[in-house]
Amino acid sequence: MIVRDFNKLKDTDSSVSDARWNSVRMLLADDGMGFSFHITTLEAGSEHTFHYKHHFESVYCMSGKGSITDLGTGETHEIKPGVMYALNLNDKHTVRAEEELVMACCFNPPVTGKEVHREDGSYAPAEELTD
């Protein structure tokens, strides 16, 4: 059994921040679960474009208000508490936070904790990451 406390992890190297967002990685690849689990907070008024070419992601909004635009179709969806979206086609997307957004996120394959967003908004595949 794995038990972790967000409030303890948020002040450790499990907490990663960049460009007006923060992600506390609660589960990573080394945990052997087959997915990683993060609590991600996007700052109010921020906009983020991501394209997870090598990962699938599902996201559940716990608090806040914003939107997500599928850049392949141009379709925009509201994000609010209770809304989930899944990037099942490695969808390039833009997330806008009207209010601070707090979201629970799962990645498959799981992230290792060494990833940083590349210029195109993606993470490198795990096999490209080195120690």
Side-chain angles (χ1 to χ4, degrees):
M1 179 181 296
I2 299 169
V3 178
R4 300 213 169 108
D5 183 337
F6 170 85
N7 293 305
K8 292 179 181 174
L9 289 177
K10 69 182 182 177
D11 295 319
T12 71
D13 61 359
S14 290
S15 179
V16 177
S17 297
D18 187 20
R20 300 181 69 187
W21 61 263
N22 172 266
S23 182
V24 177
R25 276 85 186 269
M26 309 274 307
L27 288 173
L28 291 169
D30 284 347
D31 293 311
M33 296 289 296
F35 62 91
S36 57
F37 180 76
H38 317 195
I39 300 297
T40 300
T41 303
L42 304 179
E43 186 179 310
S46 65
E47 182 175 305
H48 312 269
T49 298
F50 301 118
H51 188 190
Y52 299 120
K53 299 175 185 179
H54 311 287
H55 298 82
F56 295 110
E57 181 188 27
S58 63
V59 178
Y60 177 80
C61 181
M62 298 186 313
S63 67
K65 182 178 176 186
S67 64
I68 182 170
T69 300
D70 179 333
L71 297 177
T73 66
E75 200 172 4
T76 297
H77 304 274
E78 181 181 19
I79 299 173
K80 61 184 179 181
V83 171
M84 185 279 305
Y85 63 85
L87 304 168
N88 62 318
L89 299 175
N90 305 105
D91 313 273
K92 186 174 184 179
H93 61 288
T94 298
V95 178
R96 293 173 190 83
E98 294 173 38
E99 302 171 358
E100 179 181 83
L101 283 171
V102 180
M103 302 193 287
C105 310
C106 289
F107 278 83
N108 183 12
V111 302
T112 66
K114 298 174 186 164
E115 291 83 359
V116 293
H117 285 103
R118 299 189 298 185
E119 199 171 304
D120 65 357
S122 70
Y123 287 144
E127 61 271 11
E128 288 183 20
L129 298 174
T130 59
D131 291 318

